[in-house]
Amino acid sequence: MGRSCRCDAEATRHRVLGYLEARSFDDTLACPLSRRTLAQDLGLSKGRVRYACRTLEAEGLIICRRLFDDAGGQLGNGYDLTASGRRLLVSMRRNSP
């Protein structure tokens, strides 16, 4: 599999960001998801989802929280959109045809 172009990577990040917003309960709770679920629901590879989430976090658009059960096993990740992430989505919607 070859590398994707920069515009494909950006489109993937925007899809992931929009999906996380849609799955959010409210502004105070992390959206609990595994990367596998994210990949399956969006029709992407786990690698692309991992890269998109890391990039979105590095850009300050999401916060990733590791979620654990009472025995210490990881349940998945919780994703919070930051104010910057929400503003980006609003801007994208205004500029879409």
Side-chain angles (χ1 to χ4, degrees):
M1 178 172 101
R3 292 183 179 208
S4 62
C5 70
R6 184 172 299 174
C7 59
D8 288 344
E10 184 174 338
T12 297
R13 289 194 306 275
H14 290 168
R15 284 180 63 197
V16 169
L17 193 61
Y19 180 85
L20 293 175
E21 179 195 39
R23 292 283 306 258
S24 295
F25 299 117
D26 62 33
D27 290 344
T28 61
L29 296 174
C31 175
L33 285 170
S34 68
R35 288 190 192 124
R36 177 181 297 161
T37 300
L38 245 169
Q40 288 172 342
D41 288 355
L42 291 173
L44 299 168
S45 70
K46 288 186 284 184
R48 283 188 187 227
V49 167
R50 181 176 50 249
Y51 178 77
C53 289
R54 284 182 182 166
T55 304
L56 289 167
E57 191 170 24
E59 292 172 344
L61 301 174
I62 65 171
I63 297 169
C64 178
R65 304 177 195 282
R66 277 74 181 157
L67 303 175
F68 298 92
D69 63 18
D70 293 336
Q74 187 168 1
L75 298 171
N77 296 313
Y79 298 95
D80 292 315
L81 269 68
T82 64
S84 296
R86 292 185 190 285
R87 281 193 302 270
L88 176 63
L89 285 171
V90 169
S91 173
M92 287 169 35
R93 289 185 184 117
R94 275 193 212 135
N95 296 326
S96 68

